[in-house]
Amino acid sequence: MVRLCILFLLLFSSPALAGPRFDDNDPVVFNAPAPHQFPIHGIDAARFQDSINWRKAHKAGVSFAFVKATEGGDLLDPMFASHWRGARRANVPVGAYHFYYFCTPARVQARWFIKNVPKSKGALPPVLDMEWNPFSPSCKLRPPAGQVRRNMSIFMAMLEKHYGQRPIIYTTPVFFKENDLGRLKGEEFWLRSTAKTPAEVYARQDWHFWQYTSTGVIDGIDGAVDINLFNGSRKDWQNWLKSRAR
């Protein structure tokens, strides 16, 4: 049966690119530079990905992974330990991310993350996931932009002190704009943009990672998965790992 995403497959199967062998349930044709023009791709995973064969995924082209660890001040993702161990055993560079909750103090959330995420040799930097969550049944709070940025700084400083790595900031177009995150100079960003390139959505903003689809299909992973890429060449990736994976 011919798949809807044949274009995506053709792009990623180019021998010249020697890129990952991924599929997509809902492919998008991006303007240049499009995802297939970048050689290093990876995933992020949480409890929704309850079955990952990490060795198969790595063989298919998964070069890194960020897995959900914590949310707020008391939630631990039930798949965190499994994803963390599985990725490391398959030699997939892996880092953990925290989903920020606006009704719990930043210090409490940082302590919760530190309690649950080990200091492991070779781990990628931790990630602070900043986005509005309109579906939360218990917290509808949306603090002013200045307070949001201050709380982010508190959280990130605590993690940097503990892990020896400055966290990466993951965010979405709306959250980035409404909280003026472009004012956070010198930070590393992981940007979500599933219809346009980061340059089209986050004007003049530097970035290291781009989440370009949430409907990816990868061998070894049951169901759809988010796919991301690293902004650079293979050599850039190796240099980044040397400087940022501890």
Side-chain angles (χ1 to χ4, degrees):
M1 183 176 65
V2 178
R3 302 184 67 100
L4 293 175
C5 45
I6 190 169
L7 175 61
F8 196 85
L9 278 170
L10 288 172
L11 290 173
F12 274 113
S13 62
S14 167
L17 291 174
R21 299 182 299 280
F22 297 163
D23 206 334
D24 200 318
N25 286 325
D26 188 19
V28 172
V29 178
F30 289 94
N31 291 327
H36 73 274
Q37 295 176 278
F38 297 84
I40 304 300
H41 296 246
I43 65 169
D44 58 276
R47 62 182 176 86
F48 307 105
Q49 289 73 41
D50 58 3
S51 178
I52 296 181
N53 184 320
W54 286 95
R55 296 191 184 281
K56 281 188 176 181
H58 189 29
K59 187 176 181 180
V62 172
S63 296
F64 64 87
F66 290 106
V67 297
K68 184 176 181 180
T70 53
E71 179 175 335
D74 59 1
L75 190 151
L76 175 64
D77 191 282
M79 290 301 298
F80 170 65
S82 176
H83 289 332
W84 183 265
R85 289 194 302 265
R88 290 179 65 83
R89 288 172 180 168
N91 294 317
V92 176
V94 61
Y97 74 86
H98 174 83
F99 188 89
Y100 196 85
Y101 187 71
F102 295 95
C103 293
T104 300
R107 289 182 175 84
V108 173
Q109 298 192 57
R111 287 194 290 268
W112 180 243
F113 184 92
I114 290 168
K115 179 179 179 180
N116 288 285
V117 178
K119 291 176 67 173
S120 299
K121 184 177 180 180
L124 300 182
V127 173
L128 174 57
D129 181 345
M130 298 298 296
E131 52 187 300
W132 297 129
N133 183 7
F135 306 109
S136 173
S138 57
C139 183
K140 305 297 183 182
L141 184 64
R142 291 195 176 195
Q147 183 179 338
V148 167
R149 295 194 301 272
R150 286 192 295 273
N151 289 341
M152 291 173 65
S153 295
I154 291 169
F155 182 96
M156 294 171 68
M158 291 179 65
L159 265 61
E160 183 177 17
K161 181 178 180 180
H162 180 77
Y163 294 101
Q165 304 179 76
R166 186 71 175 171
I168 297 166
I169 300 170
Y170 169 92
T171 195
T172 65
V174 171
F175 193 93
F176 182 93
K177 181 179 180 180
E178 292 185 356
N179 293 283
D180 201 8
L181 296 193
R183 296 180 62 176
L184 299 176
K185 304 302 181 184
E187 305 291 359
E188 290 189 348
F189 278 89
W190 169 13
L191 302 177
R192 175 177 173 83
S193 183
T194 58
K196 298 181 179 180
T197 67
E200 294 172 293
V201 179
Y202 305 86
R204 297 181 298 279
Q205 175 60 47
D206 292 334
W207 56 275
H208 279 75
F209 295 91
W210 170 16
Q211 184 184 81
Y212 60 88
T213 184
S214 58
T215 54
V217 179
I218 299 176
D219 188 30
I221 303 176
D222 291 342
V225 65
D226 296 335
I227 306 181
N228 310 272
L229 61 82
F230 172 76
N231 187 13
S233 65
R234 294 185 184 278
K235 183 176 180 180
D236 292 333
W237 172 243
Q238 291 303 319
N239 290 336
W240 186 87
L241 284 177
K242 289 178 182 178
S243 65
R244 292 290 273 137
R246 301 291 175 87

